[in-house]
Amino acid sequence: MTASPVQAGPALPAAEEARLAAVRRYQVLDTPPDGAFDRIASLAARLFDAPMATVAIVDTDRVWFKAAHGLGGVTETDRAPGLSASAILHGEPYVVTDTDADSRAFAHPLVRGDLGVRFYAAAPITTADGQRLGTVDVLDTRPRKPTDDQLEALRDLAALVMDELELRLSAMRTVAAERERRAEAERLARALQRTLLPPALPDVPGLQVAAAYHTASPDEVGGDFYDLFPLDDGRWAFFLGDVCGKGADAAALTSLTRYTLRAAAIYDPDPCAALANLDVVLKGEYQGSDPRYCTAVFGVLQPLPDGSHAITLAGGGHPSTLAVRADGTVQAISTAGGQLVGMLPDPQFVQNTTRLLPGECLLLYTDGLTEARTSDGTMLDEDGLTRHLTETAPRTAEELLQSVEALLERLGEGVSDDTAVLALSVPAPIEPRPQENR
């Protein structure tokens, strides 16, 4: 047996559909009480010396009160003819002087119910395009006849309600437009940020690598960067840094910096020479304008026959690189004294070397990490980062990255700047399992 088709309700007249669309547009139905509308209802009651007044919105099958003065907790009624449901059919104030003698209002719930309404006057709340959303109403328990001045005042109060709804609609649209603008800015920022970082780090024989980028502001492009790439002689080059500024200018500088360092490494892979070449390019590109500069650490690693890697680092105004040794100690590979790239007439870049043994890690990071504030308001600094790494004792690049990400999450809102992290590690040798006695 087939089910009977669901019968659709009768179609609404086009004019009523347009009116209900206007009601929905202002998003006022079922909103919390509001002082502005409460004051209008109270003022309407005083002007008429009446015990009850409402600001009513007429919905599909109900009349909902945005404000109700003297109704004893009544917040809505059925959309019965005679009061608001009839008043919105008129462009002028609507009056019922005695509900007992008016066939339109005689059976209305507010008339037949506990409130016992005998008098009703309303002015329509009308949009600029002529749609009547509802009414400002005055109700009394005795028959009466309003004056022309009272009805004119009621019309003015309805116009005030409409003005307030228009202001709120404008504010909602402004907020929605701003949210959309911010969402679009975030989408563009994420897309642009992706173009400034390598889509994936390469596989390096005998080495584990991991990297992450944390943005402090999702709708603004940051200036942190990193990269890892092979050289022609079996060595690998890597760098990490931070350019001045934010936004489009920083993005342009980041792109120039990253590709210049790549090209410089191919021309001369000496770390100090790579930073010096970048310094020349930045000064030439931004000659005659505001100086554009960056901090950077540039490294070259050479795999050795015993599985370790020799690493040469050069720094230009950048925080120390940290090595987590096999015994769990953390050592700073300092390039202190290296100066900003692109800022000074004759900058000095400082070089240092280290060796990464199996089971050891190397961490490069930007100052968004060490300049973050802890729960007591103090800066994390290199000492705080060192303590954290000593406590967590990571053994692999992935563990090192997870340790830093856990720290960033714990710092929360204390992180106010972008942070780039690049982790390298040499896998520890796999110890053979003991042979079982046969």
Side-chain angles (χ1 to χ4, degrees):
M1 183 174 69
T2 59
S4 300
V6 176
Q7 297 296 321
L12 293 172
E16 176 63 3
E17 286 189 350
R19 192 195 69 80
L20 288 171
V23 170
R24 303 290 183 268
R25 182 169 71 243
Y26 287 90
Q27 300 180 39
V28 64
L29 286 170
D30 299 313
T31 54
D34 188 295
F37 298 101
D38 291 341
R39 286 190 291 272
I40 288 174
S42 177
L43 181 57
R46 288 204 305 272
L47 286 170
F48 278 72
D49 190 23
M52 296 170 282
T54 72
V55 175
I57 305 297
V58 180
D59 197 2
T60 308
D61 54 2
R62 61 173 177 156
V63 177
W64 177 78
F65 300 134
K66 176 61 180 172
H69 174 85
L71 264 65
V74 177
T75 58
E76 63 179 58
T77 67
D78 292 338
R79 187 176 169 176
L83 302 186
S84 293
S86 297
I88 61 168
L89 303 177
H90 301 268
E92 299 297 324
Y94 175 86
V95 178
V96 179
T97 57
D98 186 353
T99 58
D100 279 354
D102 193 304
S103 60
R104 299 168 298 178
F106 181 80
H108 195 280
L110 295 181
V111 176
R112 299 272 63 85
D114 294 339
L115 292 176
V117 171
R118 294 289 302 277
F119 165 80
Y120 175 81
I125 302 167
T126 308
T127 67
D129 58 352
Q131 299 298 337
R132 298 176 195 124
L133 309 179
T135 52
V136 175
D137 314 302
V138 176
L139 307 95
D140 204 340
T141 56
R142 56 190 173 91
R144 55 187 294 184
K145 184 176 181 180
T147 66
D148 290 342
D149 287 344
Q150 287 175 323
L151 293 179
E152 189 62 31
L154 196 61
R155 194 201 311 265
D156 290 340
L157 291 178
L160 285 176
V161 170
M162 193 66 249
D163 289 345
E164 186 69 20
L165 291 175
E166 288 288 358
L167 286 173
R168 292 171 187 227
L169 178 60
S170 177
M172 286 188 291
R173 286 173 171 169
T174 299
V175 169
E178 177 61 16
R179 286 175 177 168
E180 179 58 30
R181 185 199 67 78
R182 290 182 64 87
E184 180 62 22
E186 289 180 14
R187 287 192 291 270
L188 291 173
R190 287 194 296 269
L192 181 54
Q193 196 77 67
R194 286 194 296 268
T195 68
L196 303 177
L197 299 171
L201 293 175
D203 293 328
V204 182
L207 204 68
Q208 294 177 344
V209 298
Y213 190 97
H214 294 262
T215 57
S217 175
D219 60 349
E220 193 169 43
V221 181
D224 295 8
F225 58 91
Y226 60 84
D227 208 347
L228 171 67
F229 53 95
L231 300 173
D232 291 339
D233 56 4
R235 296 184 297 170
W236 290 78
F238 58 93
F239 56 78
L240 178 141
D242 183 5
V243 306
C244 64
K246 299 283 185 183
D249 289 341
L253 179 57
T254 300
S255 180
L256 176 64
T257 297
R258 181 173 169 231
Y259 290 107
T260 297
L261 284 176
R262 268 185 166 258
I266 294 173
Y267 174 72
D268 186 348
D270 176 76
C272 281
L275 294 182
N277 279 322
L278 175 62
D279 181 73
V280 171
V281 169
L282 293 185
K283 290 173 182 174
E285 182 69 20
Y286 295 100
Q287 186 175 14
S289 62
D290 292 336
R292 296 288 174 175
Y293 58 89
C294 70
T295 70
V297 58
F298 188 99
V300 173
L301 62 88
Q302 171 72 59
L304 300 177
D306 64 356
S308 65
H309 287 70
I311 297 177
T312 303
L313 296 169
H318 202 78
S320 298
T321 299
L322 298 180
V324 183
R325 298 305 184 185
D327 62 1
T329 60
V330 179
Q331 177 188 5
I333 313 301
S334 176
T335 53
Q339 296 174 319
L340 294 173
V341 185
M343 170 65 81
L344 304 174
D346 187 19
Q348 302 298 309
F349 304 119
V350 173
Q351 188 165 295
N352 203 344
T353 60
T354 190
R355 190 177 173 196
L356 208 59
L357 302 176
E360 296 184 337
C361 312
L362 198 68
L363 175 66
L364 292 82
Y365 58 91
T366 54
D367 59 10
L369 178 57
T370 48
E371 291 182 357
R373 298 286 174 174
T374 61
S375 58
D376 62 4
T378 59
M379 195 176 292
L380 178 68
D381 216 340
E382 184 181 305
D383 290 341
L385 177 58
T386 298
R387 285 193 299 272
H388 174 76
L389 296 180
T390 302
E391 292 168 359
T392 55
R395 298 293 303 276
T396 67
E398 192 59 41
E399 289 179 0
L400 181 54
L401 183 62
Q402 291 173 359
S403 175
V404 173
E405 289 184 323
L407 175 60
L408 287 168
E409 183 175 356
R410 191 179 76 200
L411 292 169
E413 293 183 358
V415 183
S416 59
D417 196 6
D418 297 340
T419 301
V421 179
L422 178 62
L424 312 173
S425 67
V426 180
I430 300 175
E431 297 180 2
R433 293 181 179 179
Q435 295 289 329
E436 297 181 358
N437 295 326
R438 296 181 180 274

